[in-house]
Structure formats: structure tokens, C-alpha cells
Amino acid sequence: MNIINLLAKKHIREILDALCKDGELGLQELATKLDIHKSSASTTLNSLADAGLVEIKIEDWKGKMEKYYYKITIYGMEARDFYKQGEKLEEKIVVNININGSGNTNIYNGHSKNKE
């Protein structure tokens, strides 16, 4: 999967932020914390793990079943920086538009294009 497409999916940023803040979290903990369904969290976390942004640790839980824990990787930390860079770029564009005429300027293919 393309990393840009993955980062654009629902809940990805929130999951990366939670893992960065809290360190290692179990599936149920994470789903509860973010108020998302456990199966959605599991699917999303598996996509993040496949991309190398999250690592999965599996432990036996009292001999009955496996318990999954998730931890952000260095690449996951870099992905969080991607969101921050996007926010900075948006701020620059908004400031540029405001300076150039309070909304009278459109950004078109990376260039300013004045409305007539």
C-alpha cells in the first residue's frame, strides 16, 4: 500500500499519536481510548504494522488466548512528522492567501492565480 494513502486513512493519525504518547498499548486499550470499534482498530493496526510504522508484540494471556500489544516504530514517528509538515504547509498557504488579498487568490498547481 502507498504510504501516503495509508496516512490519509481514518484513525491513522490518532493511533500513531496515542502510541507515541502512551508507548505500548493493547488492542482493547487503544480501541477504548480512541472510541473506535475493536475490529476497525485491529485492521488499521495491521495495515500500520505491514507498512513498518507499528510493531506488534504477541503474548499468551493466562494460557487462554493471545494478547496483542502495539508500539510505534521510528518510521511511525517520522510519519507523525509528515502530518506536522502538512499543517505547516497549510498555514503558509493560508497566510499567503490572506496577504495577497483575503481570498482573492487561488492556489493552482502550486502557483498563485488571481481571480478576475
Side-chain angles (χ1 to χ4, degrees), residues 13 17 77 79-89:
R13 184 175 188 174
D17 286 345
M77 299 294 278
R80 288 183 71 241
D81 292 341
F82 173 81
Y83 291 113
K84 292 176 188 174
Q85 290 299 323
E87 289 170 354
K88 287 178 185 177
L89 180 59

Side-chain angles (χ1 to χ4, degrees), residues 29-114:
E29 283 177 281
L30 189 59
T32 301
K33 180 180 187 80
L34 299 178
D35 194 28
I36 59 177
H37 196 276
K38 189 175 171 181
S39 64
S40 295
S42 177
T43 301
T44 304
L45 285 160
N46 286 330
S47 294
L48 287 167
D50 289 344
L53 305 180
V54 166
E55 48 182 61
I56 303 172
K57 182 171 81 175
I58 304 169
E59 291 184 356
D60 277 337
W61 191 63
K62 298 180 183 174
K64 297 179 182 177
M65 58 185 346
E66 296 173 332
K67 186 163 181 171
Y68 293 78
Y69 293 93
Y70 300 86
K71 184 178 178 181
I72 194 167
T73 66
I74 188 72
Y75 304 113
M77 299 294 278
E78 289 181 25
R80 288 183 71 241
D81 292 341
F82 173 81
Y83 291 113
K84 292 176 188 174
Q85 290 299 323
E87 289 170 354
K88 287 178 185 177
L89 180 59
E90 286 176 1
E91 289 173 13
K92 287 178 183 179
I93 291 170
V94 168
V95 167
N96 186 39
I97 290 172
N98 289 336
I99 289 172
N100 289 321
S102 296
N104 292 328
T105 303
N106 287 334
I107 303 299
Y108 180 75
N109 289 336
H111 302 283
S112 293
K113 183 176 181 180
N114 290 324

Side-chain angles (χ1 to χ4, degrees), residues 1-8 51:
M1 172 179 279
N2 179 313
I3 195 75
I4 300 296
N5 291 338
L6 176 62
L7 293 177

